[in-house]
Amino acid sequence: MHIPDGFVSIPVAGATGVASAAALLIALRRSQDAFGVRRAPVLGLTTAFIFAAQMINFPVAGGTSGHLLGGTLAAVILGSPWAGALCIATVLIIQAVLFADGGITALGANILNMAFIGVWVGWGLTQTLQRLLGGSRQRLPLAAGIAAGVSVVVAAIACALELAISGTAPVAIVLPAMTGTHILIGIGEGLITGSVLVYLARQRPDLLPGEQQQFRGWSIPVVTIFLVAGVLSLFASAWPDGLERVAENLGFINLSDKVRVIVPTPLADYGIQGLGTIGTSIAGLVGAAVCFAVAFGIAKVVRPNNA
């Protein structure tokens, strides 16, 4: 769902950029409670995992692929939608700058759709569903899984409306196209989110909020992230993702060739020229490491004075 350059108009790019910048400033202030000494490693690991998982496109119907957005998962693990939004925004910024994934001019729209709308819809719905399911901690993966799937669809609707306001495609066509495609992707999002939370609840409850035990170590999370970014990413589906498929079907895919802001980087498109699959693995490992370092640094800088 990463909007490339050229898909949204200058006014839409400007308005979403201002809105996202303001929301990020608020998020930095409001998420301080989630950034104590114990949570800084969790923010770093969560951000690195979301980046790694987003490298793995899974196939859905009709030659289309999707990947984890991770907004609901991040908010639940961090226990804060503000911290979850910072996590996803960090991933999106690094993807755009280092990997040319998502347009520089569309970065505000992407952050608004995935880091704020996606996260807040997923967080709010998770809280509501968990109360309806009796408030049991065992029901959290089910509630979060359903909420995660819905959050993807709502974020896709926001993206479709931005494309329509930009004049890229008529709303009567692009809205049902984006919604229908991302309902299928949302099912995958829900299954991944629920599965990860089941694993964490059973094996690593110290990575979830509400637990008082000490952080139990780095080895398993770090190895998992490196396997996902460096190995499993090699098996990602080559089919176009949901937005690319809609753009191809509706005939506006070439708009990205007319407006393109390129930041010079040897890691563009998650590869290194001349290194083949090894380059993809290296790019994934570098990206995960950068995501961890940036998120960990944010947690240290904005943590409360008494943390």
Side-chain angles (χ1 to χ4, degrees):
M1 203 190 301
H2 295 66
I3 302 173
D5 292 314
F7 276 25
V8 292
S9 65
I10 293 176
V12 170
T16 54
V18 170
S20 293
L24 284 172
L25 290 175
I26 297 172
L28 283 169
R29 293 178 60 86
R30 297 293 298 273
S31 59
Q32 282 188 336
D33 291 342
F35 288 168
V37 173
R38 195 180 76 87
R39 300 307 292 175
V42 181
L43 178 67
L45 291 171
T46 301
T47 306
F49 177 79
I50 297 295
F51 169 85
Q54 287 196 3
M55 289 185 68
I56 305 175
N57 278 47
F58 51 83
V60 295
T64 305
S65 69
H67 61 70
L68 180 78
L69 294 190
T72 304
L73 180 63
V76 170
I77 291 175
L78 298 168
S80 162
W82 296 110
L86 288 180
C87 167
I88 301 302
T90 299
V91 171
L92 292 170
I93 292 170
I94 291 171
Q95 287 173 330
V97 173
L98 290 185
F99 301 93
D101 187 10
I104 297 296
T105 60
L107 188 55
N110 286 325
I111 290 175
L112 181 64
N113 297 340
M114 290 183 270
F116 286 100
I117 294 175
V119 166
W120 275 96
V121 169
W123 171 262
L125 191 54
T126 297
Q127 304 304 306
T128 301
L129 288 174
Q130 198 175 10
R131 284 195 294 271
L132 293 175
L133 292 171
S136 168
R137 190 175 179 83
Q138 284 71 31
R139 302 292 175 87
L140 177 61
L142 175 61
I146 295 172
V150 174
S151 74
V152 170
V153 178
V154 176
I157 290 173
C159 177
L161 293 176
E162 290 156 6
L163 296 174
I165 294 171
S166 298
T168 303
V171 66
I173 297 176
V174 72
L175 183 58
M178 285 290 289
T179 303
T181 299
H182 286 84
I183 286 175
L184 299 175
I185 296 173
I187 294 172
E189 177 93 9
L191 292 173
I192 296 171
T193 299
S195 299
V196 172
L197 290 175
V198 167
Y199 170 79
L200 293 178
R202 293 178 178 174
Q203 304 298 327
R204 292 299 301 266
D206 57 306
L207 296 177
L208 294 173
E211 300 291 338
Q212 298 303 315
Q213 65 265 41
Q214 294 294 316
F215 179 64
R216 286 166 40 189
W218 298 84
S219 58
I220 292 178
V222 169
V223 169
T224 300
I225 291 167
F226 272 39
L227 284 175
V228 173
V231 180
L232 295 182
S233 63
L234 301 178
F235 299 96
S237 171
W239 289 348
D241 69 13
L243 175 57
E244 289 177 302
R245 174 60 70 191
V246 169
E248 288 179 355
N249 292 343
L250 300 187
F252 61 84
I253 187 69
N254 291 333
L255 288 176
S256 60
D257 296 328
K258 297 179 179 178
V259 180
R260 179 169 293 183
V261 179
I262 299 176
V263 178
T265 170
L267 304 174
D269 297 324
Y270 301 94
I272 299 176
Q273 191 171 10
L275 293 185
T277 56
I278 294 177
T280 300
S281 294
I282 294 173
L285 296 177
V286 170
V290 172
C291 282
F292 174 84
V294 172
F296 191 87
I298 291 173
K300 289 294 186 183
V301 169
V302 304
R303 67 178 180 177
N305 293 331
N306 59 353

